[in-house]
Amino acid sequence: TADLVSNLKSKLNIPDLPIGGFSSGPAAAAPPPPAEEEEAAPAAQEKTLFTLTLKSFDAAAKPKIIKEIKSMLGLSLVESKKFVEGAPKMMKEGVPKEEGEKIVETMKGLGGVVGMD
């Protein structure tokens, strides 16, 4: 196999690289994690991403809720029905505050109760 590798390298003009690929990649990636840790402290004070949970719904509004879940999550009709009937269930994770509030208001208008954690 070593002969095959050396033949391919010579025919395709591929330079010999140190094992592990480019050495500058990991060195450049190392400094950002400390910066992220510093930014994590302010983010803990003011939460920007939320998890939306369908907590309950009005029985009369069930078809509307199923249709909204179907369009929002991209599920099939059967999956959406099972999702709604299985409430309380987590709908979305990592949702920005503005989008989360919009979804909560939409579901409230249809007769659903959505929690934003």
Side-chain angles (χ1 to χ4, degrees):
T1 59
D3 292 334
L4 177 63
V5 171
S6 63
N7 284 338
L8 286 173
K9 282 183 180 179
S10 65
K11 286 183 180 180
L12 298 174
N13 296 326
I14 299 173
D16 289 332
L17 296 175
I19 296 176
F22 297 102
S23 61
S24 63
E36 290 176 13
E37 290 173 10
E38 293 171 8
E39 293 174 9
Q45 294 171 354
E46 186 178 324
K47 196 171 180 183
T48 56
L49 298 178
F50 296 88
T51 301
L52 299 178
T53 308
L54 177 64
K55 294 188 177 184
S56 64
F57 59 92
D58 183 22
K62 186 176 175 181
K64 294 177 189 175
I65 300 291
I66 291 172
K67 286 180 185 177
E68 185 65 27
I69 292 291
K70 180 180 182 280
S71 67
M72 190 182 311
L73 302 180
L75 300 174
S76 71
L77 188 60
V78 174
E79 291 171 331
S80 300
K81 183 176 184 273
K82 287 179 182 178
F83 183 91
V84 171
E85 290 173 347
K89 271 198 162 177
M90 191 258 319
M91 292 170 48
K92 286 189 169 187
E93 283 184 307
V95 179
K97 186 176 183 179
E98 299 86 29
E99 184 182 340
E101 289 173 346
K102 185 175 155 187
I103 291 170
V104 168
E105 289 301 315
T106 302
M107 295 301 280
K108 188 184 287 185
L110 294 174
V113 178
V114 177
M116 200 162 90
D117 304 322

